Amino acid sequence: MRKILGWSVALLFLLLTWVMGQAPDGKLHLIFCDVGQGDAALVIKGSFQMLIDTGPKNGGVVACLSAQMPFWDRQIEIFVNSHPQADHIGALVEVEKRYQIGKKWLAGVAGDRIRYGDLDFDILWPAASGRVLGASTDLNQLSVVVELNYGKFRALFTGDLGTAEEKVLVDSGRLMAVDVLKVAHHGSKYSSAAEFLSAVRPKLALISVGKNNYGHPTSEALERLKAVGARIWRTDRQGELEIVTDGKNVYY
Amino acid sequence: MKWRLAVLALVLFSRLFFNLAVTSRYRLGEPVRVRFDNYKIERSGSECIISRGVFWLKNDQVCSLKQAGAVAVSGTFRASLIDRLLGRVWLEESSHYTIETAGESEKTVSDGRPAGIRGISASLRDGAERIANFRAKLSETTLARLPSPEGELVLGIVMGYKSVLPKLFYDQLVRSGTVHIVVASGYNVMVVAGLALSAMLLFWRRRVATLAAISVVWLYVLLAGGEVSLLRAAVMGSVVLIGLAWGRSSRIIWSLVLVVGAMLIMSPLLIENISFQLSVAATFGVAVVGPFLKDGWGRDDPVDVTTTLGALLMTAPLIWWHFGRVSWISLLSNSLILPLVPVLMFLGGLMIVAAALISPLAGVVAAPTYALAHLVVILISFFGGS
């Protein structure tokens, strides 16, 4: 009996320690998971989580979610898929085995907005008509572009957007300076045009990339990012990145 | 003493005179071609084992074979002894053999089993499939309640599910010398036996409780996948439990000698099987060395360190001999982690059973299970590095 009591007290103590260590702090946490060649970003505030893309199958997104979410929270409120390619949605089945997903936002169009408390998510792309005139129907061109606003903090998630679509966005005059840019298409030279980067002037440019045969991230894209003064973070070299902000100050 | 000798003599007699063991009709060194249809591939370290009936082959080339299909292997046999009941004919690893995926049917040798056995094995296969489906369902409900790698760790510890472990965590387990805790092994069987016996003793007299505990052990073996190594461990565990209940403690060694002897007489090649050696060593450590250490220590031992140490002392030399990776780290990591394993097995088992029966209860048990599993994960990543 004394043995059972001893174990119960020890387990309770352990449980309280983990609960205190994992309890949400009320700040906005933006996590770019290291999922190899692919994208997976997690937005956390309080008990709210939004997952933007899952990365490829067995890329490690479940380990990232497990490390970042409190153990008792088994629900991701919103899942957004930038576009249905394997390096962006390949691990959705794995995620659904471990977590319930409140709402899947799979086909957002420009003008859509999600509000959660003081978090604003605006969809800037694709246009309601869906395509750039005269261009082919490449899935990358239909990448959902999400702008996150929280206080003075702004982040832009661009999926695998190409330069032609970037130009349309620049011409629309909708783009604003951002604190964090998820660099499009893992640093491809056919994305992140100089004109687009001058419009968004990112302080921090995050490249979600792993081993690949495409030469990602390309020296061209890296040079253009350096030219606008962005600090570059690569998941293949520096691993997972967590950015914490209270809406005014940004820490990472 | 007399009756035990008589049993041994009887086993030996039946083996020699009732032709339980026969010498192979396949001669050593003679080239043969074996056709494997519907073969099974099992991983064993960096190599794989392919088997069909009594024919077994272990090497790294077969890892690339597909699970279904036919393959023909040309080579020579490793031993001339073949046992009708449990025997295996191993193909010589070092001989020059070729593996053809489109094998010829002519001049191939058959596995020599009577047709009746195939009928029984088909219905066994159905049962096994049902258990496998049930296991898959239990695994799903567990993973849905716990984060990674805590969920996988609990599945590994309770049900011997090694395949779901994330690579990074598996590497940490290997480096910290604790990978054996996630493999359903003789140690797990002994832990289940110990836990079940303690629980049953609360309700019944020793002998009834022992029989109930043995039933729990066999249920566990079934749920943990019923691998041969587990079956052997369960046989040994059952014999040891009966020995403990019906006799003096000195009889345990005898029971163990008897059951190990009987197994070896039925299948002599078992002696070179690593998992068999580990099962015997762990059982001996838990049943004989553990209590000996406890007596020697003479003090209160709330977390059963002596039992753990007994199993560890007996298995460590074998692990070192076969895998060459017992280090001081593994002694330290094991002495910290192993005492937590029985409690984690108990909580994890309770959670898995609850998930299958009363779902909300599983949610309640998940919290303390996570609490302990997370501590174990932290210890493993500390000792296993990142």
Side-chain angles (χ1 to χ4, degrees):
Chain A
M1 205 60 204
R2 268 182 60 197
K3 205 165 155 180
I4 295 175
L5 195 70
W7 274 109
S8 306
V9 170
L11 285 173
L12 196 66
F13 173 75
L14 271 178
L15 196 60
L16 284 175
T17 312
W18 307 144
V19 167
M20 286 199 296
Q22 297 179 20
D25 59 2
K27 290 180 179 151
L28 173 69
H29 293 247
L30 186 55
I31 298 116
F32 292 94
C33 302
D34 179 10
V35 290
Q37 178 73 1
D39 278 9
L42 183 62
V43 181
I44 301 180
K45 186 160 187 291
S47 62
F48 168 87
Q49 292 96 15
M50 176 192 272
L51 178 65
I52 304 177
D53 286 346
T54 66
K57 195 178 170 189
N58 298 325
V61 70
V62 170
C64 178
L65 291 170
S66 296
Q68 296 296 341
M69 288 172 64
F71 72 87
W72 62 87
D73 188 347
R74 310 305 302 162
Q75 175 158 342
I76 295 166
E77 275 63 30
I78 299 171
F79 167 67
V80 179
N81 177 226
S82 66
H83 62 298
Q85 279 181 338
D87 57 338
H88 292 258
I89 199 171
L92 184 60
V93 177
E94 288 167 50
V95 172
E96 285 190 298
K97 276 186 185 164
R98 306 300 281 255
Y99 296 93
Q100 291 179 340
I101 294 179
K103 186 170 170 51
K104 283 184 201 157
W105 207 18
L106 301 174
V109 287
D112 286 356
R113 166 176 279 194
I114 292 181
R115 261 208 168 145
Y116 178 82
D118 38 12
L119 295 179
D120 278 333
F121 298 91
D122 288 300
I123 303 266
L124 307 187
W125 188 264
S129 61
R131 286 173 202 164
V132 181
L133 285 176
S136 67
T137 52
D138 179 0
L139 284 174
N140 291 341
Q141 294 173 353
L142 298 174
S143 284
V144 173
V145 175
V146 183
E147 184 190 73
L148 161 63
N149 283 289
Y150 172 59
K152 289 180 179 170
F153 176 82
R154 187 174 296 126
L156 193 63
F157 304 86
T158 53
D160 281 357
L161 204 68
T163 45
E165 297 77 47
E166 287 177 354
K167 188 167 183 332
V168 179
L169 277 176
V170 171
D171 292 346
S172 73
R174 173 65 182 78
L175 294 176
M176 287 183 275
V178 299
D179 296 284
V180 179
L181 170 71
K182 200 293 292 176
V183 175
H185 207 172
H186 326 289
S188 158
K189 62 181 170 185
Y190 304 112
S191 298
S192 311
E195 205 182 352
F196 174 78
L197 294 179
S198 325
V200 295
R201 299 189 300 280
K203 288 179 189 151
L204 176 69
L206 183 286
I207 306 177
S208 191
V209 68
K211 265 189 192 166
N212 67 86
N213 301 322
Y214 310 105
H216 295 160
T218 58
S219 52
E220 291 91 334
L222 290 170
E223 284 305 317
R224 292 196 290 258
L225 285 166
K226 277 181 201 154
V228 292
R231 191 175 160 190
I232 297 170
W233 184 291
R234 294 171 55 167
T235 55
D236 61 339
R237 296 226 175 130
Q238 286 124 308
E240 185 176 295
L241 171 67
E242 180 174 5
I243 296 158
V244 184
T245 176
D246 55 6
K248 292 179 205 152
N249 307 307
V250 181
Y251 316 93
Y252 51 85
Chain B
M1 189 65 152
K2 270 181 194 163
W3 70 267
R4 285 175 225 139
L5 281 175
V7 170
L8 266 182
L10 187 73
V11 175
L12 204 60
F13 179 79
S14 56
R15 176 168 181 87
L16 292 174
F17 293 96
F18 293 122
N19 212 9
L20 264 176
V22 288
T23 306
S24 169
R25 51 195 162 106
Y26 321 118
R27 280 193 307 197
L28 283 179
E30 193 179 67
V32 289
R33 179 202 289 275
V34 181
R35 188 181 157 87
F36 293 82
D37 292 311
N38 300 319
Y39 49 81
K40 223 169 76 180
I41 301 178
E42 277 177 59
R43 197 155 253 295
S44 166
S46 65
E47 298 181 311
C48 293
I49 296 172
I50 174 178
S51 65
R52 164 99 175 104
V54 294
F55 295 109
W56 291 62
L57 169 71
K58 179 174 161 185
N59 87 336
D60 52 359
Q61 280 180 48
V62 297
C63 295
S64 58
L65 293 176
K66 291 208 174 80
Q67 195 66 246
V71 60
V73 179
S74 306
T76 52
F77 291 122
R78 205 168 80 186
S80 58
L81 190 73
I82 159 167
D83 190 302
R84 274 223 178 133
L85 208 58
L86 296 166
R88 293 165 183 179
V89 180
W90 284 92
L91 289 163
E92 183 65 67
E93 289 159 55
S94 55
S95 75
H96 296 286
Y97 51 77
T98 51
I99 296 178
E100 302 159 29
T101 40
E104 296 165 24
S105 56
E106 56 180 344
K107 285 185 189 169
T108 56
V109 287
S110 81
D111 61 13
R113 291 204 166 193
I117 292 180
R118 292 219 174 81
I120 295 169
S121 70
S123 62
L124 275 178
R125 250 202 317 277
D126 282 352
E129 204 169 289
R130 248 177 251 146
I131 292 171
N133 288 341
F134 185 56
R135 267 163 62 85
K137 209 181 131 202
L138 292 182
S139 140
E140 260 174 40
T141 53
T142 307
L143 293 182
R145 278 181 176 82
L146 293 173
S148 176
E150 286 80 5
E152 287 89 343
L153 174 73
V154 168
L155 272 184
I157 283 184
V158 179
M159 305 211 300
Y161 250 122
K162 207 170 68 171
S163 56
V164 290
L165 289 170
K167 171 127 190 12
L168 183 75
F169 184 61
Y170 181 77
D171 291 344
Q172 288 176 342
L173 281 165
V174 172
R175 281 198 295 268
S176 60
T178 48
V179 72
H180 58 93
I181 65 172
V182 295
V183 185
S185 66
Y187 177 73
N188 297 44
V189 169
M190 291 311 291
V191 170
V192 170
L195 282 174
L197 189 62
S198 309
M200 300 302 170
L201 279 173
L202 295 176
F203 304 105
W204 292 301
R205 287 179 298 113
R206 183 154 199 106
R207 290 184 181 184
V208 184
T210 300
L211 292 178
I214 289 173
S215 327
V216 173
V217 166
W218 283 94
L219 197 69
Y220 167 74
V221 168
L222 212 61
L223 271 183
E227 287 169 28
V228 180
S229 59
L230 271 180
L231 290 172
R232 276 197 304 263
V235 171
M236 279 182 230
S238 306
V239 170
V240 166
L241 281 181
I242 291 172
L244 275 172
W246 267 268
R248 301 180 307 273
S249 59
S250 66
R251 225 179 251 194
I252 300 168
I253 300 181
W254 243 104
S255 312
L256 199 59
V257 168
L258 192 70
V259 71
V260 170
M263 282 177 177
L264 282 177
I265 285 170
M266 301 236 281
S267 179
L269 291 179
L270 262 183
I271 192 100
E272 57 180 69
N273 183 312
I274 298 169
S275 109
F276 175 76
Q277 294 171 4
L278 286 173
S279 282
V280 176
T283 314
F284 185 76
V286 170
V288 181
V289 182
F292 176 76
L293 289 174
K294 201 172 209 161
D295 289 346
W297 200 22
R299 257 184 283 171
D300 198 26
D301 181 14
V303 285
D304 245 356
V305 174
T306 46
T307 308
T308 308
L309 202 62
L312 198 68
L313 282 175
M314 290 298 103
T315 49
L318 284 171
I319 294 172
W320 173 77
W321 177 260
H322 293 295
F323 305 109
R325 61 172 180 225
V326 166
S327 59
W328 292 110
I329 284 271
S330 95
L331 280 179
L332 189 62
S333 60
N334 274 291
S335 46
L336 283 173
I337 291 167
L338 282 187
L340 306 176
V341 169
V343 184
L344 189 53
M345 253 181 110
F346 171 73
L347 288 169
L350 197 65
M351 190 188 90
I352 291 172
V353 171
L357 302 174
I358 320 155
S359 191
L361 185 65
V364 178
V365 188
T369 309
Y370 172 82
L372 195 56
H374 191 54
L375 177 68
V376 174
V377 167
I378 289 175
L379 286 170
I380 288 168
S381 55
F382 174 75
F383 287 110
S386 53

